[in-house]
Amino acid sequence: GNTQSKDPLKQADAMRRLGLTTTLGDPSGRAPLVHPQQGSDTCAIVAQQQILMAHGLVTTADPVKTEALLAKEAKDRGFYNHGTPPAYQADILVDRGLLVVKQRGVPLATLDAAVRRGGMIIASVDARHLWSVKAPDTLGHAIVITGAEISRLDGKTLGYYINDSGSAPILKIKFDNGQI
């Protein structure tokens, strides 16, 4: 069957259908929180917006308008100017009372532990790997990790579910031996 497929998505789907994996987090429930970012540089704004929406701290009625309001707020506060510097990537969340842990260069085991606790995680990634873009320079991008698929056989993380405001389809699963 597809459990032996070379395509990691087909392999994961087959394992899930056979009951060999379990899903952590709520990727399906969190998928509607993302929308295509309106600015070429608002990925971190939209990532924070998703978490605020999940906590009921901003409206879900007009996500494009909310993105614009959050971008203006972030710009006015110095958190955003042609992108969001990593140091400010969760400051809109902090301003609204959410507990945030910021880390850079996180080992995969640390990321995995955070996902297993069920939180939504903003991750800074090189979008070249997500979008199969051949470019000489890193394409800095923020995504939200919404869950993980875990093997019931050995407890290993097989892959992560992400909300990506910069590409379609919006809900993806990336299985690359831990590389996102």
Side-chain angles (χ1 to χ4, degrees):
N2 279 338
T3 58
Q4 303 304 314
S5 172
K6 296 228 185 290
D7 181 333
L9 294 176
K10 287 181 182 173
Q11 185 180 28
D13 186 55
M15 291 177 68
R16 192 171 27 263
R17 290 174 190 263
L18 291 170
L20 299 175
T21 67
T22 188
T23 303
L24 297 182
D26 185 13
S28 296
R30 293 170 176 168
L33 299 174
V34 68
H35 69 278
Q37 66 193 58
Q38 300 302 296
S40 63
D41 59 0
T42 56
C43 54
I45 301 292
V46 175
Q48 292 174 90
Q49 178 182 353
Q50 293 174 62
I51 294 170
L52 292 170
M53 287 175 17
H55 286 89
L57 297 173
V58 296
T59 180
T60 59
D62 187 346
V64 171
K65 182 178 180 184
T66 302
E67 175 187 344
L69 291 170
L70 289 172
K72 182 184 181 326
E73 174 187 330
K75 186 172 181 133
D76 290 348
R77 301 282 315 277
F79 300 159
Y80 162 76
N81 185 17
H82 302 295
T84 305
Y88 300 121
Q89 279 201 351
D91 286 11
I92 293 172
L93 304 177
V94 172
D95 281 356
R96 284 174 173 73
L98 295 179
L99 180 62
V100 169
V101 175
K102 294 183 186 186
Q103 293 179 291
R104 294 185 55 98
V106 176
L108 196 55
T110 302
L111 173 68
D112 196 57
V115 172
R116 287 172 181 258
R117 287 191 296 273
M120 294 172 71
I121 295 143
I122 297 173
S124 297
V125 298
D126 182 347
R128 293 179 300 179
H129 302 295
L130 291 176
W131 305 334
S132 298
V133 172
K134 302 285 186 240
D137 298 321
T138 299
L139 295 176
H141 185 55
I143 59 168
V144 177
I145 300 172
T146 61
E149 201 67 25
I150 308 298
S151 169
R152 288 183 187 259
L153 302 174
D154 60 13
K156 289 184 180 173
T157 300
L158 300 174
Y160 299 98
Y161 291 92
I162 66 171
N163 280 359
D164 182 355
S165 63
S167 71
I170 290 170
L171 179 64
K172 295 182 173 187
I173 186 166
K174 190 77 173 168
F175 286 85
D176 290 18
N177 296 326
Q179 292 295 315
I180 49 172

